mmCIF file of all heavy atoms in Angstrom:
data_model
loop_
_atom_site.group_PDB
_atom_site.id
_atom_site.type_symbol
_atom_site.label_atom_id
_atom_site.label_comp_id
_atom_site.label_asym_id
_atom_site.label_seq_id
_atom_site.Cartn_x
_atom_site.Cartn_y
_atom_site.Cartn_z
ATOM 1 N N PRO A 185 29.566 -32.228 60.167
ATOM 2 C CA PRO A 185 29.095 -33.606 60.342
ATOM 3 C C PRO A 185 30.208 -34.605 60.668
ATOM 4 O O PRO A 185 31.348 -34.442 60.218
ATOM 5 C CB PRO A 185 28.478 -33.931 58.980
ATOM 6 C CG PRO A 185 29.083 -32.982 58.030
ATOM 7 C CD PRO A 185 29.454 -31.752 58.792
ATOM 8 N N LEU A 186 29.852 -35.634 61.421
ATOM 9 C CA LEU A 186 30.801 -36.705 61.737
ATOM 10 C C LEU A 186 29.995 -37.974 62.045
ATOM 11 O O LEU A 186 29.071 -37.951 62.858
ATOM 12 C CB LEU A 186 31.659 -36.302 62.941
ATOM 13 C CG LEU A 186 32.976 -37.064 63.116
ATOM 14 C CD1 LEU A 186 33.852 -36.991 61.867
ATOM 15 C CD2 LEU A 186 33.762 -36.501 64.295
ATOM 16 N N LEU A 187 30.363 -39.058 61.375
ATOM 17 C CA LEU A 187 29.611 -40.307 61.501
ATOM 18 C C LEU A 187 30.561 -41.446 61.821
ATOM 19 O O LEU A 187 31.666 -41.508 61.265
ATOM 20 C CB LEU A 187 28.912 -40.621 60.169
ATOM 21 C CG LEU A 187 28.084 -39.502 59.540
ATOM 22 C CD1 LEU A 187 27.857 -39.762 58.064
ATOM 23 C CD2 LEU A 187 26.750 -39.366 60.253
ATOM 24 N N LEU A 188 30.123 -42.340 62.669
ATOM 25 C CA LEU A 188 30.936 -43.498 63.042
ATOM 26 C C LEU A 188 30.353 -44.735 62.378
ATOM 27 O O LEU A 188 29.138 -44.937 62.389
ATOM 28 C CB LEU A 188 30.885 -43.659 64.562
ATOM 29 C CG LEU A 188 31.539 -44.928 65.114
ATOM 30 C CD1 LEU A 188 33.030 -44.718 65.275
ATOM 31 C CD2 LEU A 188 30.929 -45.322 66.448
ATOM 32 N N GLY A 189 31.234 -45.556 61.799
ATOM 33 C CA GLY A 189 30.802 -46.836 61.253
ATOM 34 C C GLY A 189 31.598 -47.944 61.911
ATOM 35 O O GLY A 189 32.674 -47.695 62.457
ATOM 36 N N LYS A 190 31.075 -49.171 61.871
ATOM 37 C CA LYS A 190 31.846 -50.271 62.470
ATOM 38 C C LYS A 190 31.748 -51.519 61.593
ATOM 39 O O LYS A 190 30.746 -51.732 60.903
ATOM 40 C CB LYS A 190 31.368 -50.553 63.886
ATOM 41 C CG LYS A 190 29.988 -51.117 63.973
ATOM 42 C CD LYS A 190 29.697 -51.695 65.345
ATOM 43 C CE LYS A 190 28.295 -52.277 65.284
ATOM 44 N NZ LYS A 190 27.671 -52.659 66.448
ATOM 45 N N SER A 191 32.815 -52.292 61.630
ATOM 46 C CA SER A 191 32.774 -53.594 60.971
ATOM 47 C C SER A 191 33.297 -54.599 61.979
ATOM 48 O O SER A 191 33.645 -54.220 63.104
ATOM 49 C CB SER A 191 33.663 -53.581 59.722
ATOM 50 O OG SER A 191 35.011 -53.629 60.136
ATOM 51 N N ASP A 192 33.386 -55.864 61.583
ATOM 52 C CA ASP A 192 33.908 -56.870 62.521
ATOM 53 C C ASP A 192 35.363 -56.574 62.871
ATOM 54 O O ASP A 192 35.862 -56.999 63.900
ATOM 55 C CB ASP A 192 33.825 -58.268 61.894
ATOM 56 C CG ASP A 192 32.377 -58.689 61.752
ATOM 57 O OD1 ASP A 192 31.524 -58.079 62.434
ATOM 58 O OD2 ASP A 192 32.109 -59.592 60.942
ATOM 59 N N ASN A 193 36.017 -55.825 61.984
ATOM 60 C CA ASN A 193 37.455 -55.613 62.163
ATOM 61 C C ASN A 193 37.850 -54.252 62.671
ATOM 62 O O ASN A 193 39.044 -53.940 62.730
ATOM 63 C CB ASN A 193 38.177 -55.864 60.833
ATOM 64 C CG ASN A 193 38.161 -57.329 60.496
ATOM 65 O OD1 ASN A 193 38.206 -58.154 61.398
ATOM 66 N ND2 ASN A 193 38.051 -57.637 59.217
ATOM 67 N N GLY A 194 36.912 -53.391 62.960
ATOM 68 C CA GLY A 194 37.333 -52.094 63.490
ATOM 69 C C GLY A 194 36.289 -51.010 63.329
ATOM 70 O O GLY A 194 35.129 -51.262 62.955
ATOM 71 N N PHE A 195 36.720 -49.787 63.615
ATOM 72 C CA PHE A 195 35.835 -48.623 63.554
ATOM 73 C C PHE A 195 36.364 -47.636 62.526
ATOM 74 O O PHE A 195 37.578 -47.445 62.405
ATOM 75 C CB PHE A 195 35.773 -47.925 64.915
ATOM 76 C CG PHE A 195 35.056 -48.724 65.954
ATOM 77 C CD1 PHE A 195 35.774 -49.483 66.875
ATOM 78 C CD2 PHE A 195 33.675 -48.733 66.017
ATOM 79 C CE1 PHE A 195 35.109 -50.223 67.832
ATOM 80 C CE2 PHE A 195 33.011 -49.478 66.984
ATOM 81 C CZ PHE A 195 33.732 -50.226 67.890
ATOM 82 N N ILE A 196 35.449 -46.994 61.848
ATOM 83 C CA ILE A 196 35.818 -45.944 60.898
ATOM 84 C C ILE A 196 34.969 -44.711 61.230
ATOM 85 O O ILE A 196 33.798 -44.845 61.598
ATOM 86 C CB ILE A 196 35.639 -46.450 59.438
ATOM 87 C CG1 ILE A 196 35.966 -45.351 58.423
ATOM 88 C CG2 ILE A 196 34.282 -47.022 59.186
ATOM 89 C CD1 ILE A 196 36.169 -45.884 56.999
ATOM 90 N N VAL A 197 35.573 -43.552 61.169
ATOM 91 C CA VAL A 197 34.840 -42.299 61.439
ATOM 92 C C VAL A 197 35.066 -41.408 60.223
ATOM 93 O O VAL A 197 36.187 -41.291 59.738
ATOM 94 C CB VAL A 197 35.424 -41.513 62.637
ATOM 95 C CG1 VAL A 197 34.391 -40.567 63.215
ATOM 96 C CG2 VAL A 197 35.972 -42.413 63.691
ATOM 97 N N ALA A 198 34.015 -40.755 59.749
ATOM 98 C CA ALA A 198 34.196 -39.889 58.579
ATOM 99 C C ALA A 198 33.111 -38.829 58.531
ATOM 100 O O ALA A 198 32.079 -38.944 59.197
ATOM 101 C CB ALA A 198 34.162 -40.720 57.306
ATOM 102 N N SER A 199 33.374 -37.807 57.717
ATOM 103 C CA SER A 199 32.412 -36.723 57.630
ATOM 104 C C SER A 199 31.278 -37.036 56.665
ATOM 105 O O SER A 199 30.376 -36.217 56.503
ATOM 106 C CB SER A 199 33.099 -35.423 57.233
ATOM 107 O OG SER A 199 34.209 -35.644 56.445
ATOM 108 N N ASP A 200 31.297 -38.179 56.005
ATOM 109 C CA ASP A 200 30.308 -38.432 54.963
ATOM 110 C C ASP A 200 30.090 -39.942 54.832
ATOM 111 O O ASP A 200 31.057 -40.710 54.886
ATOM 112 C CB ASP A 200 30.882 -37.855 53.660
ATOM 113 C CG ASP A 200 29.875 -37.728 52.559
ATOM 114 O OD1 ASP A 200 29.052 -38.641 52.413
ATOM 115 O OD2 ASP A 200 29.930 -36.722 51.842
ATOM 116 N N LEU A 201 28.855 -40.336 54.629
ATOM 117 C CA LEU A 201 28.535 -41.764 54.485
ATOM 118 C C LEU A 201 29.325 -42.447 53.377
ATOM 119 O O LEU A 201 29.673 -43.619 53.501
ATOM 120 C CB LEU A 201 27.047 -41.924 54.157
ATOM 121 C CG LEU A 201 26.032 -42.044 55.277
ATOM 122 C CD1 LEU A 201 24.693 -42.442 54.712
ATOM 123 C CD2 LEU A 201 26.466 -43.057 56.327
ATOM 124 N N VAL A 202 29.597 -41.705 52.285
ATOM 125 C CA VAL A 202 30.289 -42.357 51.159
ATOM 126 C C VAL A 202 31.618 -42.953 51.596
ATOM 127 O O VAL A 202 32.069 -43.949 51.046
ATOM 128 C CB VAL A 202 30.560 -41.413 49.956
ATOM 129 C CG1 VAL A 202 29.322 -41.129 49.173
ATOM 130 C CG2 VAL A 202 31.278 -40.158 50.345
ATOM 131 N N ALA A 203 32.256 -42.328 52.582
ATOM 132 C CA ALA A 203 33.554 -42.828 53.030
ATOM 133 C C ALA A 203 33.411 -44.024 53.963
ATOM 134 O O ALA A 203 34.369 -44.747 54.212
ATOM 135 C CB ALA A 203 34.331 -41.709 53.718
ATOM 136 N N LEU A 204 32.222 -44.253 54.499
ATOM 137 C CA LEU A 204 32.009 -45.380 55.417
ATOM 138 C C LEU A 204 31.512 -46.619 54.680
ATOM 139 O O LEU A 204 31.736 -47.747 55.118
ATOM 140 C CB LEU A 204 30.924 -45.043 56.464
ATOM 141 C CG LEU A 204 31.079 -43.858 57.395
ATOM 142 C CD1 LEU A 204 29.946 -43.866 58.407
ATOM 143 C CD2 LEU A 204 32.395 -43.917 58.143
ATOM 144 N N ALA A 205 30.820 -46.365 53.560
ATOM 145 C CA ALA A 205 29.965 -47.410 52.964
ATOM 146 C C ALA A 205 30.682 -48.732 52.703
ATOM 147 O O ALA A 205 30.094 -49.791 52.878
ATOM 148 C CB ALA A 205 29.346 -46.879 51.689
ATOM 149 N N LYS A 206 31.961 -48.681 52.308
ATOM 150 C CA LYS A 206 32.645 -49.927 51.963
ATOM 151 C C LYS A 206 32.910 -50.798 53.197
ATOM 152 O O LYS A 206 33.041 -52.011 53.087
ATOM 153 C CB LYS A 206 33.964 -49.552 51.289
ATOM 154 C CG LYS A 206 34.548 -50.668 50.499
ATOM 155 C CD LYS A 206 35.678 -50.217 49.633
ATOM 156 C CE LYS A 206 36.407 -51.462 49.137
ATOM 157 N NZ LYS A 206 37.712 -51.149 48.659
ATOM 158 N N TYR A 207 32.993 -50.192 54.372
ATOM 159 C CA TYR A 207 33.439 -50.923 55.571
ATOM 160 C C TYR A 207 32.341 -51.190 56.569
ATOM 161 O O TYR A 207 32.544 -51.939 57.514
ATOM 162 C CB TYR A 207 34.573 -50.144 56.260
ATOM 163 C CG TYR A 207 35.763 -50.089 55.366
ATOM 164 C CD1 TYR A 207 35.962 -49.000 54.540
ATOM 165 C CD2 TYR A 207 36.621 -51.180 55.282
ATOM 166 C CE1 TYR A 207 37.018 -48.982 53.652
ATOM 167 C CE2 TYR A 207 37.673 -51.171 54.399
ATOM 168 C CZ TYR A 207 37.867 -50.070 53.586
ATOM 169 O OH TYR A 207 38.891 -50.068 52.695
ATOM 170 N N SER A 208 31.214 -50.525 56.397
ATOM 171 C CA SER A 208 30.241 -50.594 57.462
ATOM 172 C C SER A 208 28.835 -50.717 56.889
ATOM 173 O O SER A 208 28.520 -50.101 55.872
ATOM 174 C CB SER A 208 30.361 -49.307 58.294
ATOM 175 O OG SER A 208 29.490 -49.357 59.363
ATOM 176 N N GLN A 209 28.010 -51.523 57.528
ATOM 177 C CA GLN A 209 26.611 -51.665 57.108
ATOM 178 C C GLN A 209 25.732 -50.671 57.854
ATOM 179 O O GLN A 209 24.569 -50.509 57.549
ATOM 180 C CB GLN A 209 26.079 -53.067 57.439
ATOM 181 C CG GLN A 209 26.917 -54.197 56.896
ATOM 182 C CD GLN A 209 26.871 -54.212 55.390
ATOM 183 O OE1 GLN A 209 25.804 -54.085 54.810
ATOM 184 N NE2 GLN A 209 28.019 -54.298 54.755
#
Side-chain angles (χ1 to χ4, degrees):
L186 200 55
L187 309 161
L188 173 84
K190 68 166 182 191
S191 75
D192 292 342
N193 289 327
F195 291 99
I196 178 165
V197 202
S199 30
D200 194 320
L201 271 190
V202 285
L204 301 186
K206 199 169 167 198
Y207 295 95
S208 183
Q209 306 294 314

